[in-house]
Amino acid sequence: MSRLVYVLNGPNLNLLGKRQPHIYGHVTLADVEAECRELAGELKLDLRFHQSNREYEIIDWIHAAREEAGGIVINPAAFTHTSVAILDALNTFEPPVVEVHISNVHKREAFRHHSYVSLRADGVIAGFGTQGYSLALQRVARLIDEKAA
Ligand code: DHK
């Protein structure tokens, strides 16, 4: 089982830290990546960390993950609520998938309560702020360890 994990981020997350900080906080995506890389070192994981505002790029990264990754952590952002194509791509990927939302989507507008990605995700983290990425990585590492045992 590969110890390479893809961390994928959807639209507008490039503006993390600047965009609606009362909802998403002041931490930037670069800060999140740095935290993930530090934790990955402790967990003995390798990381590919990506963000795109384009649905097809996220799909292409999921296809790349099929070839080499042992897990995916994904915050699809608004594509969570709209993208059958991302769900279909994730359904081609067998290893663990953890879905992350920085905000508690269930406390927000009704259109954020439905996630296509949750139909595939092995676990979902919402409302833990950017700490959710670390929790997701810990979970993926645990699932990889369990499969290897
Ligand atoms: C991020 C977004 O951009 C929203 O479209 C989602 C998610 C929630 C988050 O909480 O990380 O609805």
Side-chain angles (χ1 to χ4, degrees):
M1 170 70 70
S2 165
R3 297 191 72 81
L4 175 63
V5 176
Y6 275 52
V7 180
L8 301 178
N9 293 280
N12 300 302
L13 289 169
N14 53 311
L15 296 179
L16 195 64
K18 298 173 204 145
R19 159 203 189 210
Q20 297 179 284
H22 57 292
I23 296 175
Y24 298 108
H26 292 276
V27 172
T28 67
L29 197 62
D31 296 330
V32 173
E33 178 171 0
E35 261 181 55
C36 285
R37 291 201 178 281
E38 194 179 330
L39 179 62
E42 290 167 25
L43 297 170
K44 304 199 181 338
L45 299 175
D46 291 319
L47 277 198
R48 303 249 192 284
F49 192 101
H50 297 294
Q51 185 275 332
S52 183
N53 297 324
R54 299 172 185 86
E55 193 174 15
Y56 77 88
E57 278 191 314
I58 294 167
I59 293 163
D60 285 350
W61 286 322
I62 295 168
H63 293 176
R66 273 170 55 80
E67 304 301 319
E68 59 174 0
I72 293 177
V73 170
I74 184 165
N75 182 349
F79 292 148
T80 305
H81 319 298
T82 61
S83 183
V84 176
I86 289 176
L87 169 63
D88 284 351
L90 288 170
N91 275 331
T92 75
F93 181 81
E94 289 210 352
V97 174
V98 176
E99 176 182 350
V100 174
H101 304 288
I102 296 164
S103 64
N104 181 358
V105 282
H106 300 290
K107 210 176 158 185
R108 301 180 63 193
E109 302 96 320
F111 67 83
R112 295 183 204 276
H113 298 176
H114 178 261
S115 165
Y116 285 102
V117 170
S118 291
L119 291 167
R120 164 62 185 90
D122 298 296
V124 182
I125 293 170
F128 286 77
T130 53
Q131 187 190 359
Y133 288 85
S134 300
L135 300 172
L137 271 183
Q138 284 173 348
R139 181 64 185 155
V140 168
R142 171 76 66 92
L143 292 171
I144 290 174
D145 289 343
E146 282 174 5
K147 277 202 185 165

